[in-house]
Amino acid sequence: MSIVYIVSAPSGSGKSTLVAELLKTVRKLDFSISYTTRPPRRTEQNRKEYFFVSREEFAAMIAADEFLEYADVFGNCYGTARRFLREAEQHGNDLLLDIDVQGAEQIQQKIPDAVSIFILPPDWQTLESRLRNRGSDSEEVIRRRLDTARREIENYSKYDYILVNNLLEQSCDQLKDIVLAERLLRSGARPSGEEATQVATAQACRLDQARERVQPILASFHLQTAKGT
Ligand code: 5GP
C-alpha cells in the first residue's frame, strides 16, 4: 500500500521549494501533478507543475469521475487525478499531493491513513513580503491570497504535522524526516542510529508538540488557537 502524503500551505509559504527539494532527495516518492483551469505563470510548463486545461476539459473529467478530489481555489478549479495514485501503487511508490485545505479534507475522508502536513509561514509580515516579492500577481490577487491564507491557517489543527518554514534548509530536513519516519514506523522496523533521529525530528513536528510554536504565528494573523488545541 502506498502512503499518501498531503502537503498544504497558504501560497507564499515556500511550499513549492520544499516539495521540489523533497522530491529530489527522497526515493520512491511520486508527485501528483494536479489539473487546473488557472492559466500558467511565466515559468510554468504544462505537464510539469500542472496539467493546464480548459473549464470544459475539467468538467468532462469530473463527469467521468477521474478525480480523487477537486476544489475551487481563487476562482479556478484544481483537481487530483485518480490515476496518479493507481500508478504510484503499481510502481510500489508513495504519493505526494500538494493540495489546498478543501482537497485535504476530501482525501482524509477517502484515505484516513493519509499523512497530512501543514506548512506555516513564520508570520503574517513574512508571508506578505514573500507574496509581493514574487511579482507574479496583481494587488487584488495578493490581497485575496492573504485573506485566503488567514482562512487556511485556521485549519492547521486538522493536520497531523505542522512545519514552520522559517529557515529553508531546516524545513527541508524536517519535511524529509517526517516522510521517512512515517515510512519507517509503518514498516514496523525498529529505528536505529540516524533513523531514530529522524523519528524524533518528525515527532517534534506532530500537531500536539507544535501548539506552542503555532500560537505567535496565529496571533500575527489575528487568529486564536483553535478550541481544544
Ligand atoms: P497555485 O495557483 O498557487 O499554484 O495554487 C493555489 C492553491 O491550489 C495551492 O494551495 C495549492 O496547494 C492548491 N492546489 C494545487 N493543486 C490542487 C489540487 O489538485 N486540488 C486542490 N484541492 N488544491 C490544489
Side-chain angles (χ1 to χ4, degrees):
M1 267 291 273
S2 300
I3 304 176
V4 173
Y5 295 95
I6 304 168
V7 178
S8 298
S11 54
S13 309
K15 177 181 55 176
S16 310
T17 311
L18 287 172
V19 165
E21 280 304 310
L22 181 74
L23 293 167
K24 267 194 240 162
T25 51
V26 174
R27 42 186 288 282
K28 297 196 76 63
L29 182 64
D30 291 352
F31 179 66
S32 162
I33 303 172
S34 295
Y35 284 75
T36 183
T37 61
R38 158 171 89 59
R41 297 199 183 105
R42 272 198 313 273
T43 56
E44 288 176 332
Q45 289 169 30
N46 191 29
R47 313 171 78 86
K48 189 161 174 265
E49 283 85 1
Y50 286 104
F51 290 93
F52 295 98
V53 294
S54 66
R55 286 192 175 266
E56 291 72 25
E57 286 168 305
F58 199 93
M61 289 183 72
I62 295 175
D65 195 24
E66 287 185 38
F67 288 122
L68 201 53
E69 64 73 35
Y70 63 92
D72 184 305
V73 188
F74 308 124
N76 287 302
C77 306
Y78 293 81
T80 303
R82 289 184 193 281
R83 72 181 160 85
F84 277 96
L85 182 54
R86 258 195 324 264
E87 286 169 12
E89 276 169 351
Q90 278 161 8
H91 295 130
N93 291 350
D94 295 327
L95 185 66
L96 184 79
L97 313 182
D98 168 349
I99 58 176
D100 85 325
V101 168
Q102 308 167 73
E105 276 192 43
Q106 296 175 47
I107 297 291
Q108 283 163 341
Q109 276 171 15
K110 286 186 180 152
I111 309 171
D113 63 354
V115 179
S116 56
I117 304 154
F118 195 88
I119 299 170
L120 280 170
D123 52 45
W124 167 272
Q125 289 75 13
T126 309
L127 185 70
E128 186 174 15
S129 63
R130 281 182 190 163
L131 285 174
R132 290 198 188 288
N133 292 341
R134 201 152 73 167
S136 58
D137 295 315
S138 67
E139 180 61 28
E140 191 210 326
V141 172
I142 291 173
R143 283 279 128 218
R144 197 140 42 100
R145 285 182 188 272
L146 283 167
D147 281 346
T148 308
R150 176 177 281 134
R151 269 181 278 126
E152 287 187 328
I153 286 173
E154 259 184 317
N155 289 286
Y156 80 93
S157 61
K158 295 178 183 160
Y159 287 72
D160 301 318
Y161 292 95
I162 308 295
L163 214 155
V164 180
N165 187 14
N166 208 344
L167 300 167
L168 184 66
E169 210 174 311
Q170 192 185 43
S171 305
C172 282
D173 287 343
Q174 286 172 337
L175 185 57
K176 185 173 151 200
D177 287 346
I178 293 169
V179 168
L180 297 179
E182 281 285 342
R183 272 187 185 169
L184 193 79
L185 295 173
R186 287 173 192 225
S187 75
R190 263 176 80 90
S192 62
E194 196 193 341
E195 292 171 348
T197 316
Q198 282 168 344
V199 171
T201 305
Q203 202 60 33
C205 294
R206 285 202 72 92
L207 176 65
D208 52 353
Q209 302 289 312
R211 280 175 187 147
E212 267 184 41
R213 264 175 292 146
V214 165
Q215 276 180 26
I217 301 171
L218 294 183
S220 77
F221 281 83
H222 303 291
L223 292 169
Q224 310 253 311
T225 313
K227 276 204 183 77
T229 63

